[in-house]
Amino acid sequence: MSKLGRKLTWRISAVVIGVFALSMLVNQFFLPKYYHFEMNQKVTQAMKEVDKWDKKRIENDLGILEAKYDVTIVAEKMSNNVDDLNEMLRLDLAQKRIALNRFWVTGETLEDLKKGSIITKLYDQGKQKSSFLVSLNEKDGLLIVAGISIANYDETAKIINEFNLMLMLFGSILVVALTGFLSRKITKPLEELKIVADQISKLEFEKVSIETRDELEDLATSINVMSDDLKKAHHALLRRNKELKHFMADLTHELKTPLALIKAYSMGIQDGLDDGTYMATIVKQTNQISVIIEELLRFSKMEVDPLHLEKIEVRMLFEEILANYQETTDLDIRTKSEISPEIVILADKAKLEMVFNNVITNAVKYATTNQIKIEWTEQNNKVYFAIKNETTIRDSQTLEHIWMPFYVREASRNKNFSGTGLGLAIVQTVMEQHEFEYGAKLEDGWITFYLIFDKVE
């Protein structure tokens, strides 16, 4: 049993045993007094009601009060002879099946009754192991006795406590067994949660299956969600680390070539071999390095800059950007649209312009023919944009790498055009910042880059 299970078992058992012990103490010391109090209330209330009656009603209707308060009531004419009065009262009580060993009314009691007092007395019946509690009152020359037999509770309480003691011993064993079983049902899911938490801490993103229909099941669900989220974040981090390694290798190569040329031509100048073109080459390579550095700084800044969202007529914005390319190229750009020009999305306008510029530039640079296709569609409250061009890429696995910075150097891409290779990496970053979907696919020698935007009213 776990530590928590032991704590629950012993603490619950201690509480139950304490309740049993308290019950025994109450039975022993307080219950007899409470029992006597309740019996005294019966005869007192009965006598108070009799005190409001007249003599005729007392003689005829005492049975009503007897049934109401569950007491015995008798009435006899007051007599100066105390012995005769006591004998008559014993006979009256005997007729109502109240057999008493000890019962008497003293002359002193009679004198007090004549003064208007109501007197309560308890007569111990000795071997009968009971007592007779009475309330005495004098009314219109009648001595009225309301009484009730009560058991001697000390012996009864002793028997009850002995029974409770046996019950406590049996109950304690049962409680320990039940609490042990129930605590096990509680702690077992916790142990499973602990195991899964330990596995998650070791980057083993497992899940736990708990069906208790309570807070433990809610906790298990939360941990499963956390495990999934951490798994995705971990895989994303591994992917980013891998991309970073490729990025650093590509960046090193991009900088190494111009730096090597700068060094070689500088040494040529130093050795007097300059034919008049060396300085121009050095300036050109220096400019190339500056362009790369500026692009990198802009790319890094873009990833941390917050979005400035506004409503944008997305198709109109794209067509404004596309018009600049149509004026400077002789490409056959064909547009097919199923959406209204006024359709609106919520985005950062400056960054969205960068996305459209980069996907158009990418298509213009790397199309193997002079034809580019653009499509706009709308479905399920989303706006779908696609730009297509013929390509030399044939391996669909290559599409997993084209979003990486400097992938422009790869053999599958045309090397005859200049560029930093950060265009599609910028597209990826901006789309992920907006939580928009994006991607690329190959079909019949054509490559399609698609962007999916959330439409707003």
Side-chain angles (χ1 to χ4, degrees):
M1 185 182 294
S2 65
K3 294 179 181 178
L4 179 60
R6 287 195 295 270
K7 283 183 180 180
L8 287 173
T9 299
W10 293 117
R11 289 181 182 180
I12 294 175
S13 299
V15 170
V16 173
I17 292 171
V19 171
F20 272 117
L22 181 62
S23 175
M24 291 177 64
L25 289 174
V26 169
N27 288 341
Q28 184 67 32
F29 297 105
F30 297 102
L31 195 54
K33 294 180 180 179
Y34 179 74
Y35 177 68
H36 185 275
F37 171 79
E38 285 294 316
M39 297 299 103
N40 187 63
Q41 285 291 101
K42 285 187 176 184
V43 295
T44 301
Q45 291 297 326
M47 188 57 72
K48 285 182 179 180
E49 192 162 341
V50 169
D51 194 46
K52 298 175 183 178
W53 289 7
D54 55 28
K55 182 177 181 181
K56 182 178 180 182
R57 189 175 182 188
I58 291 173
E59 291 176 339
N60 298 322
D61 297 335
L62 287 179
I64 297 174
L65 291 182
E66 288 182 316
K68 181 178 180 180
Y69 292 102
D70 194 22
V71 296
T72 300
I73 304 175
V74 295
E76 283 291 338
K77 292 182 180 180
M78 293 286 287
S79 172
N80 292 328
N81 191 322
V82 176
D83 292 335
D84 291 342
L85 181 59
N86 282 321
E87 186 63 26
M88 293 300 297
L89 289 173
R90 284 195 186 93
L91 290 174
D92 291 340
L93 291 170
Q95 288 178 356
K96 295 190 176 185
R97 298 182 180 179
I98 303 296
L100 301 178
N101 293 333
R102 301 175 183 178
F103 176 79
W104 61 91
V105 178
T106 64
E108 183 179 351
T109 300
L110 293 177
E111 291 298 324
D112 291 336
L113 290 173
K114 289 177 182 179
K115 296 177 182 179
S117 299
I118 297 177
I119 299 173
T120 301
K121 286 191 174 185
L122 182 66
Y123 295 95
D124 188 355
Q125 299 305 304
K127 292 182 179 180
Q128 290 185 1
K129 296 183 179 180
S130 64
S131 299
F132 191 63
L133 178 65
V134 298
S135 180
L136 304 171
N137 190 17
E138 189 270 334
K139 179 76 173 179
D140 296 332
L142 294 176
L143 175 59
I144 305 165
V145 177
I148 187 170
S149 294
I150 57 176
N152 287 345
Y153 202 79
D154 291 341
E155 187 171 345
T156 304
K158 181 180 178 182
I159 294 172
I160 292 174
N161 283 336
E162 288 176 354
F163 176 77
N164 281 345
L165 180 60
M166 291 185 291
L167 185 62
M168 185 180 71
L169 293 175
F170 174 76
S172 299
I173 296 172
L174 184 61
V175 165
V176 170
L178 287 177
T179 53
F181 172 74
L182 294 175
S183 64
R184 177 60 181 166
K185 291 192 69 175
I186 295 173
T187 58
K188 185 178 179 180
L190 292 176
E191 290 174 0
E192 293 178 12
L193 292 174
K194 179 180 178 296
I195 292 172
V196 171
D198 289 340
Q199 290 174 331
I200 292 175
S201 69
K202 298 174 183 177
L203 302 182
E204 297 175 4
F205 301 102
E206 301 293 335
K207 291 186 179 182
V208 61
S209 178
I210 294 177
E211 297 181 0
T212 56
R213 298 182 181 180
D214 55 21
E215 287 78 3
L216 286 174
E217 184 174 343
D218 295 339
L219 177 60
T221 302
S222 298
I223 288 179
N224 288 339
V225 172
M226 180 186 70
S227 180
D228 284 337
D229 291 344
L230 288 175
K231 185 176 182 179
K232 293 176 184 177
H234 178 64
H235 289 168
L237 183 60
L238 291 177
R239 177 176 60 83
R240 296 289 283 185
N241 286 341
K242 185 177 179 181
E243 291 175 356
L244 181 59
K245 290 178 182 179
H246 286 293
F247 173 77
M248 295 305 296
D250 292 342
L251 177 60
T252 301
H253 190 277
E254 286 290 319
L255 295 176
K256 184 178 180 181
T257 300
L259 286 173
L261 289 171
I262 291 171
K263 181 179 180 181
Y265 280 89
S266 297
M267 291 176 65
I269 293 173
Q270 189 178 28
D271 294 338
L273 301 176
D274 187 4
D275 61 357
T277 63
Y278 283 24
M279 187 57 67
T281 302
I282 290 173
V283 171
K284 180 180 178 182
Q285 297 303 321
T286 303
N287 289 337
Q288 181 65 19
I289 292 174
S290 296
V291 170
I292 292 174
I293 292 174
E294 288 175 4
E295 285 292 310
L296 284 172
L297 289 174
R298 187 172 64 158
F299 180 61
S300 300
K301 185 174 183 296
M302 182 189 61
E303 287 189 311
V304 297
D305 278 349
L307 295 174
H308 301 286
L309 300 177
E310 58 182 297
K311 290 186 176 181
I312 300 170
E313 293 179 348
V314 61
R315 180 182 159 190
M316 296 293 291
L317 176 65
F318 175 78
E319 289 178 353
E320 291 174 6
I321 297 171
L322 181 63
N324 297 327
Y325 289 87
Q326 289 176 319
E327 292 174 0
T328 57
T329 65
D330 59 353
L331 291 173
D332 178 15
I333 301 176
R334 302 181 181 182
T335 300
K336 177 183 178 182
S337 177
E338 298 177 1
I339 69 170
S340 166
E342 290 80 20
I343 200 163
V344 174
I345 68 168
L346 195 64
D348 186 311
K349 185 175 181 180
K351 291 188 176 183
L352 190 59
E353 287 177 349
M354 294 173 63
V355 168
F356 285 142
N357 271 308
N358 283 322
V359 294
I360 296 172
T361 300
N362 183 78
V364 171
K365 281 184 180 181
Y366 301 112
T368 57
T369 65
N370 69 338
Q371 189 178 99
I372 295 175
K373 296 180 180 179
I374 295 169
E375 293 182 1
W376 290 95
T377 57
E378 180 184 353
Q379 186 177 358
N380 298 328
N381 215 33
K382 290 184 180 291
V383 180
Y384 292 79
F385 165 82
I387 183 167
K388 306 177 181 181
N389 61 269
E390 292 189 72
T391 180
T392 58
I393 300 175
R394 295 294 179 264
D395 184 3
S396 60
Q397 291 184 348
T398 303
L399 300 182
E400 298 177 5
H401 306 290
I402 61 176
W403 305 100
M404 295 170 57
F406 301 113
Y407 191 72
V408 70
R409 297 187 306 103
E410 297 295 329
S412 59
R413 300 295 296 271
N414 194 324
K415 296 182 181 179
N416 297 323
F417 301 94
S418 62
T420 60
L422 292 174
L424 292 180
I426 290 173
V427 172
Q428 179 187 50
T429 300
V430 173
M431 294 299 286
E432 288 182 351
Q433 282 182 326
H434 285 80
E435 297 183 355
F436 292 151
E437 297 179 51
Y438 66 96
K441 59 184 179 180
L442 289 172
E443 187 176 5
D444 298 330
W446 288 73
I447 184 169
T448 301
F449 290 91
Y450 61 87
L451 310 174
I452 304 176
F453 308 102
D454 294 326
K455 176 184 173 183
V456 296
E457 298 298 331

